[in-house]
Amino acid sequence: MLQEEEDKMEAVAARLRRVREILDLSKKEFAERAGMSEQTYGPFENAKRELSLIAAKKLRKTYDLPLEFMYFGKIEDLPTRISREL
C-alpha cells in the first residue's frame, strides 16, 4: 500500500504511519518534533484530512522525507534507515 494508490488520502496516511512506527515515535512526539501539535498531525495519519503542503514541508525538513514519498510513494530518496524497513 505504501507505493500503491499514489496520492489517495489513505495511502498518504499509511506512509506517514509506517515512517512514524519505523522511527518508534508516538503521534505526539512525531508531530511535535516537526513543529506541529498532535491535533494538527493526527488527521493526516488517520486519513481524515489531506496532508497540507505546509505540514509536508515540516515533515520533510525534520525527517528528511521527500515530498515525492509522502504524496506519491516514491522511495528512491528516502533516508536509508527508513527505506530499509519499508
Side-chain angles (χ1 to χ4, degrees), residues 2-70:
L2 295 181
Q3 292 180 335
E4 298 169 6
E5 302 187 32
E6 295 190 350
D7 65 344
K8 286 193 176 182
M9 203 166 25
E10 295 80 9
V12 171
R15 288 190 284 271
L16 293 175
R17 183 172 18 309
R18 185 66 187 124
V19 166
R20 182 180 59 75
E21 291 168 352
I22 289 168
L23 297 175
D24 196 28
L25 296 170
S26 69
K27 279 185 190 177
K28 182 177 181 168
E29 292 170 318
F30 191 76
E32 287 180 352
R33 286 184 185 188
M36 292 180 269
S37 69
E38 184 179 2
Q39 291 75 24
T40 298
Y41 171 76
F44 303 137
E45 188 176 309
N46 295 329
K48 302 287 184 201
R49 200 167 108 204
E50 294 277 346
L51 178 63
S52 70
L53 182 57
I54 291 170
K57 287 164 78 175
K58 289 180 180 185
L59 294 170
R60 178 182 169 271
K61 182 176 181 181
T62 305
Y63 299 107
D64 202 22
L65 298 176
L67 298 177
E68 288 287 316
F69 169 73
M70 288 184 276

